[in-house]
Amino acid sequence: MNVIVVKDYEALSKTAAGLIQSQLMWSPDSVLGLATGSTPVGTYKVLIDLFKKGEINFEDVVTFNLDEYLGLEKSNEQSYYHFMRENLFNHVNVNEDHIHIPNGISDDFEQECLNYESDIVKAGGIDLQILGIGHNGHIGFNEPNVEFEAKTHIVSLDEETIEANKRFFDSVEDVPKKAISMGIKTIMRSKKIILMASGQGKADIISKLVKDDIRPNLPASVLHLHENVIVLIDEAAASKL
Ligand code: F6R
């Protein structure tokens, strides 16, 4: 695990965007795995700026998002579909047909999960996966005690995750209790992974991630078994290392 500490959130966003830019420079048709949440918003802003300056091209890029809430229509402002449109896709030249986000509204979620998994395989696998980390160590919505062998699946969100994500909703009751998420196995098959964290609030979990053993109740710890992971954090998130 390669830990890179940068000064602050701005530096974190610039560094992550720079790594994505290099990836696309060498491999313009890369498959990117993308995350939602607060952490990557700054990175997406830098990518949009680079695009406006003509310094990055998403034309041939294929994207797969990590997760989506169950039961939210694409048009719902809290859906991750809406988040991705607002924070990245509406502002760059990514091809509509190349965007993949798990479908939170389906009559057959089992099939939906299988299709998502096979779409990733058909695309050649994820070249570069961006991850945030939950305070409980989740990656995607793979909550503590997840099966490390799980592929894309339906998950029940932890109380801690519901509590953490209520900031995006009118009330805690509005936060969906389930989601569809890439599994740990799906994430681990990515060729490269960048896990990002910012702020004092993430210092405890980053310290556990870096120092503790691999254990299912800290899902992100599985990344120790991956050969190409960058843990990109700011000084505040690194303060307990
Ligand atoms: C988002 C996701 C989550 C977040 C994590 C951190 O697609 O899969 O694992 O990355 O909850 O969220 P923030 O960045 O809001 O602290």
Side-chain angles (χ1 to χ4, degrees), residues 63-131:
T63 68
F64 284 90
N65 263 78
L66 279 166
D67 39 24
E68 177 60 284
Y69 288 119
L70 241 58
L72 298 193
E73 300 281 350
K74 286 178 175 178
S75 55
N76 188 307
E77 286 187 10
Q78 314 307 337
S79 74
Y80 285 169
Y81 178 88
H82 188 266
F83 175 100
M84 288 309 298
R85 292 235 71 100
E86 290 289 303
N87 287 289
L88 183 64
F89 297 148
N90 284 351
H91 312 284
V92 298
N93 65 336
V94 65
N95 186 329
E96 189 66 37
D97 301 339
H98 292 181
I99 295 172
H100 303 82
I101 300 179
N103 181 6
I105 303 279
S106 173
D107 295 335
D108 187 349
F109 281 115
E110 206 173 314
Q111 194 56 48
E112 197 64 48
C113 292
L114 290 172
N115 292 348
Y116 203 67
E117 206 64 36
S118 72
D119 285 348
I120 295 174
V121 173
K122 272 188 240 154
I126 292 169
D127 294 306
L128 176 61
Q129 175 68 54
I130 304 299
L131 296 176

Side-chain angles (χ1 to χ4, degrees), residues 145-209:
N145 300 320
V146 67
E147 295 267 340
F148 281 167
E149 285 300 302
K151 296 186 191 166
T152 300
H153 63 314
I154 302 299
V155 294
S156 295
L157 304 187
D158 260 22
E159 281 306 318
E160 203 178 339
T161 302
I162 293 171
E163 207 39 49
N165 288 4
K166 74 175 183 197
R167 66 193 195 278
F168 299 113
F169 293 82
D170 289 339
S171 76
V172 71
E173 287 75 37
D174 293 336
V175 185
K177 308 292 177 282
K178 289 190 170 198
I180 177 167
S181 176
M182 280 186 202
I184 294 288
K185 188 157 191 172
T186 326
I187 293 170
M188 288 296 280
R189 281 185 182 146
S190 311
K191 289 164 199 129
K192 292 178 217 158
I193 297 176
I194 302 173
L195 180 140
M196 301 165 68
S198 168
Q200 190 67 37
K202 293 284 170 74
D204 275 328
I205 194 63
I206 287 297
S207 159
K208 286 185 190 151
L209 168 65

Side-chain angles (χ1 to χ4, degrees), residues 35-40 66-67 80 132-134 138-141 167 202:
T36 57
S38 306
T39 312
L66 279 166
D67 39 24
Y80 285 169
I133 183 168
H138 75 207
I139 47 176
F141 273 137
R167 66 193 195 278
K202 293 284 170 74

